[in-house]
Amino acid sequence: MSKKILVVAGDGIGPEIVAEAMKVLDVLQSDGTLELSVENALIGGAAYDAAGDPLPQQTLDAAKASDAVLLGAVGGPQWESLPIAKRPEKGLLGLRAELGLFANLRPAILYPQLADASTLKPEIVSGLDILIVRELTGGIYFGQPRGVETLPSGERRGVNTLVYTESEVERICRVAFDIAMKRGKRVCSVDKANVLECTEMWREVAIRTVADYPEIELTHMYVDNAAMQLVRAPKQFDVMVTTNMFGDILSDCAAMLTGSIGMLPSASLNAAGQGMYEPIHGSAPDIAGRGVANPLATILSVAMMLRYSLDAPAAAERIEAAVSRVLDQGLRTADIMSAGMRQVGSSEMGDAVVAAL
Ligand code: NAD
């Protein structure tokens, strides 16, 4: 059955990298692997310029009606002076919220060919394959009460609230356990149960929920130790599951273990399995329009889309294998370039992945 995808390229390098990802999807469509109907829509600064709104209703409606959304990136200096509600980033946050994308999946994979790109020693990171499952719609980023008030003394007092219900914890744990069943069957739940009651409950719910997954080995780690372990011995982890804020911080740390922001995809899923897929990097205004951006994170986001929303895991593996083959051939965009390799632009990299497919 034909699946519907919405493509929102966004700003900066967004359109350049999405164009390369679309070449890959086009091959899979023309060789009969996939049957897709593809729609394009505006988001971010591009949508503000065209329609005065970073998330036009038309884009939102199209996203809700699709099986999956492929996003490039949003933002740029030309929109930074707009009121917050009109800024490009608001379009992206609005889309995540409106689609109820509560589960953020961020793999940190280091292709052995790129071990030299990490700031850590190659033996610590070579072959790294971690998946961080971050809760995305709850926790301290959304909890009430929040804000800054002025006390009678004239001093200001700022408040944010860490809040989770048991059902919110259970559903994100289930996402992590389900995915771990298809990987190494090991999940580390990261909390701060020694200090924060809310995450003490998180730990209890994780333990209760894993009873439905007898094959999963569940461990627990305080977030401070998890940060340390990620840079000390990251290969000890398979899947990590954690709160919105801890996941925000730990996933950036894990991303940098791989040393190449242009290589890392992400997925955000809702309860219906609908998902939004995007590279973890931003719109890179400093290199936009020059044809040098690395399109591999976006191409690998397509692979995640095939795996998690379009039920085409074999096609996902084909894309990942093609990326690996291109790296074996020594092709590198500027961000991952090293001695003895051949530097290519975005388009040549996209073409090479297509050829390797
Ligand atoms: P960024 O990720 O855009 O860029 C950081 C650095 O990494 C830059 O030097 C950039 O050239 C480089 N880089 C990023 N992607 C690359 C790629 N594919 N290939 C090669 N090099 C790449 O982060 P930033 O500079 O902090 O933010 C720029 C804009 O992007 C801002 O407006 C920010 O708000 C926005 N942003 C958007 C998202 C998103 O759309 N999800 C995420 C982060 C930042």
Side-chain angles (χ1 to χ4, degrees), residues 13 17 71 73-76 80 89 92 96 261-262 278 280-287 293-294 335:
I13 60 170
I17 52 180
L71 177 109
V74 299
E80 269 168 17
E89 293 75 9
L92 179 55
R96 285 179 183 155
I261 199 170
E278 53 181 311
I280 68 156
H281 59 73
S283 59
D286 53 335
I287 56 168
N294 186 346
D335 58 307

Side-chain angles (χ1 to χ4, degrees), residues 22 42 50 58 77 79 88 140 165 230 251 267 278 290 296 351:
M22 291 313 294
L42 294 173
Q58 213 179 337
W79 299 290
I140 196 165
T165 61
L230 267 178
S251 60
E278 53 181 311
R290 290 173 31 202
L296 294 179
D351 291 343

Side-chain angles (χ1 to χ4, degrees), residues 9-278:
D11 309 318
I13 60 170
E16 300 167 42
I17 52 180
V18 164
E20 301 312 313
M22 291 313 294
K23 287 182 186 169
V24 171
L25 268 180
D26 288 346
V27 170
L28 295 175
Q29 284 198 87
S30 56
D31 74 5
T33 306
L34 296 173
E35 209 181 308
L36 293 178
S37 78
V38 179
E39 200 182 326
N40 288 278
L42 294 173
I43 195 166
Y48 174 80
D49 288 347
D53 184 349
L55 180 58
Q57 190 63 42
Q58 213 179 337
T59 300
L60 186 54
D61 292 343
K64 285 183 174 166
S66 56
D67 294 295
V69 178
L70 178 66
L71 177 109
V74 299
Q78 62 271 54
W79 299 290
E80 269 168 17
S81 55
L82 289 173
I84 284 189
K86 296 287 182 194
R87 285 194 202 152
E89 293 75 9
K90 202 71 188 169
L92 179 55
L93 293 177
L95 195 51
R96 285 179 183 155
E98 287 283 341
L99 293 178
L101 302 170
F102 71 91
N104 184 216
L105 277 42
R106 288 192 36 176
I109 295 173
L110 182 62
Y111 286 88
Q113 303 94 322
L114 298 179
D116 288 338
S118 176
T119 48
L120 269 70
K121 295 190 190 104
E123 65 268 27
I124 302 285
V125 289
S126 183
L128 182 78
D129 182 1
I130 303 178
L131 181 75
I132 298 190
V133 179
R134 166 189 170 195
E135 202 289 326
L136 202 60
T137 53
I140 196 165
Y141 291 177
F142 293 91
Q144 296 288 346
R146 64 186 297 153
V148 179
E149 61 178 359
T150 303
L151 300 172
S153 64
E155 186 186 15
R156 291 190 306 152
R157 175 174 177 269
V159 179
N160 287 95
T161 306
L162 173 60
V163 51
Y164 275 111
T165 61
E166 290 184 296
S167 54
E168 285 175 315
V169 179
E170 186 179 325
R171 69 178 182 176
I172 194 72
C173 286
R174 286 193 185 278
V175 170
F177 298 152
D178 285 336
I179 290 173
M181 284 302 293
K182 298 177 193 150
R183 299 173 41 109
K185 299 185 180 167
R186 291 183 299 115
V187 176
C188 178
S189 169
V190 177
D191 60 40
K192 191 71 183 169
N194 52 341
V195 180
L196 301 172
E197 291 84 348
C198 177
T199 68
E200 197 179 3
M201 184 196 81
W202 174 289
R203 187 178 285 213
E204 287 163 12
V205 173
I207 291 170
R208 190 177 74 201
T209 308
V210 83
D212 291 342
Y213 299 81
E215 289 179 56
I216 295 284
E217 178 195 321
L218 174 68
T219 55
H220 308 272
M221 201 176 270
Y222 298 139
V223 64
D224 41 351
N225 187 25
M228 187 175 80
Q229 295 300 332
L230 267 178
V231 289
R232 192 188 73 84
K235 283 191 271 187
Q236 70 185 280
F237 297 111
D238 175 21
V239 175
M240 300 173 93
V241 61
T242 190
T243 66
N244 200 340
M245 183 165 74
F246 295 164
D248 190 2
I249 298 165
L250 293 180
S251 60
D252 267 26
C253 176
M256 278 324 294
L257 297 175
T258 73
S260 50
I261 199 170
M263 292 293 301
L264 295 175
S266 78
S268 305
L269 306 176
N270 69 14
Q274 208 186 8
M276 182 150 87
Y277 299 84
E278 53 181 311

Side-chain angles (χ1 to χ4, degrees), residues 322-353:
V323 167
S324 191
R325 213 165 306 139
V326 166
L327 295 174
D328 280 338
Q329 291 161 8
L331 302 191
R332 302 282 187 274
T333 43
D335 58 307
I336 52 172
M337 183 62 191
S338 61
M341 301 295 138
R342 185 159 83 76
Q343 191 166 326
V344 296
S346 319
S347 179
E348 200 178 338
M349 185 58 104
D351 291 343
V353 175

